Amino acid sequence: MTYQETIQWMFAQLPMYQQQGASAYKKDLTNTILLANHLGNPEKHLKSVHIAGTNGKGSTSSMIASVLQEAGYKVGLYTSPHLKDYRERIKINGQMISEDFVVNFIQDNKTFFEENSLSFFEMTVGLAFDYFVKEKVDVAVIEVGMGGRLDSTNIITPLVSVITNIGLDHTQFLGNSLPEIAFEKAGIIKPNVPVVIGEYVPETKEVFMTKAKESNSSLFFASDLITEDYPCVLLGDYQFHNKKTVAQTIKVLQNDFPTTELHLKNGLLTVVQNTGLLGRWQQINLNPKVICDTAHNSHGLKIVLNQIQKEEFENLFFVLGVVNDKDLDDILPLFPKDAYYFFCKPNVPRGLDVKKLQEKAESFGLVNNELCNSVSDAYRKSLAKSGVNDFIYIGGSTFIVAEIV
């Protein structure tokens, strides 16, 4: 198969949460362990950093990778979902995995995948671990897909476990309360492996402390321990806590991967250049100012919408679309009523019908709006309607941003 045929087969034949949602979620690690054994257990040959959390996983993973790259290490980076190209998920020092490696991996293991009904995410994790071992990375930075305890990445024993924050997201899988979700995220904590927590509230702190004590794991609350606010090329307000999380994680890694203060500072300033990270408060136009951001739940959107209010503009426009399992009652009340909205549907099977989004939005007072045929159509209309002193925000879903950046 060609690369495109291989990717199309992967997307079509195997459950993929990014496309299908709940039907692709696996609630145990049986298949992942089966695949790891089939591949010769590459996870046992990796030095790694494991990162979970409701928001900020991708930014934090990329910043840690960038700092380690600045120190001269060969760094594998596994993240999800991708924006444009499947290969964005698996990188070494910012370079995506080759098309040939993907094709050969699928071809060599296709029968095994089919016989054992492996999911899209399970085989992608296997691909990443196999690639990093064969390419002899010094360290792999591994982002959890969803949750932690039952996530396919959770077969590794890392040098440090990182949990960025806890918010109400994916509640149909992870629980309806912060302690329940914190318990699932804390599932990445391993015996005698140190843990870095980015943000906490009293009810989640108790969960982390209990799990760390059970695991005999050193526990670090980055927000309490790091006082400096380091400059960073990523300008979203939510990066304030992510940067502290990165700084504390780098400190914990010193014995295994020594770095300097200069490596930390340079890594934060060059994270986009070093890792190719996109879609985090990313400016794509100047006049009017246009910002894309992948925030998609109330925890992240509250910070982003507050940051928008700090901007200077005459009129505010939103290009907005969501997926069909999004809790609109949770997020729509956060949006300003005095803005103008261009509603659109992301081009994925999970995309919410634009008329349904409009109907629900109007019930929350977002009445200044129009329906658009596509994300690109919405963006064109927003540019046509806005002036040079206006502000346009594009978001609501990772998939909306993916069609623009």
Side-chain angles (χ1 to χ4, degrees), residues 234-287:
L234 303 177
L235 300 178
D237 284 358
Y238 49 79
Q239 302 296 359
F240 175 76
H241 286 291
N242 292 337
K243 288 183 290 183
K244 289 190 172 191
T245 306
V246 170
Q248 184 59 50
T249 303
I250 293 297
K251 279 190 175 185
V252 173
L253 285 170
Q254 283 301 311
N255 288 337
D256 294 281
F257 293 97
T259 55
T260 66
E261 186 80 355
L262 184 60
H263 294 143
L264 174 61
K265 291 180 176 178
N266 286 347
L268 294 175
L269 290 171
T270 59
V271 59
V272 174
Q273 174 185 329
N274 283 347
T275 70
L277 182 67
L278 297 172
R280 275 66 173 184
W281 197 260
Q282 181 180 349
Q283 184 170 342
I284 62 171
N285 198 68
L286 183 59
N287 296 307

Side-chain angles (χ1 to χ4, degrees), residues 1 13 26 106 129 158 169 175 200 240 257 313 331 338 385 387:
M1 293 189 292
Q13 301 300 320
K26 296 286 189 74
I106 297 300
F129 292 175
D169 196 22
Y200 65 87
F240 175 76
F257 293 97
F313 52 78
I331 65 168
D338 58 352
K385 195 175 185 70

Side-chain angles (χ1 to χ4, degrees), residues 162-194:
V162 181
I163 302 174
T164 57
N165 51 54
I166 302 297
L168 294 175
D169 196 22
H170 300 305
T171 54
Q172 67 269 51
F173 309 115
L174 305 180
N176 293 304
S177 70
L178 293 180
E180 286 178 306
I181 296 173
F183 174 80
E184 292 297 326
K185 309 286 187 186
I188 70 166
I189 299 174
K190 304 296 194 307
N192 304 305
V193 174

Side-chain angles (χ1 to χ4, degrees), residues 120-148:
F120 173 90
F121 194 79
E122 287 163 348
M123 68 176 175
T124 300
V125 168
L127 169 61
F129 292 175
D130 186 63
Y131 180 62
F132 292 153
V133 169
K134 287 179 177 174
E135 291 296 316
K136 297 181 172 61
V137 300
D138 296 316
V139 59
V141 181
I142 308 294
E143 178 193 345
V144 165
M146 185 198 302

Side-chain angles (χ1 to χ4, degrees), residues 321-341:
V322 298
V323 291
N324 57 23
D325 53 2
K326 187 59 56 184
D327 185 354
L328 297 180
D329 291 333
D330 191 40
I331 65 168
L332 288 177
L334 304 175
F335 286 86
K337 295 180 176 62
D338 58 352
Y340 193 92
Y341 293 83

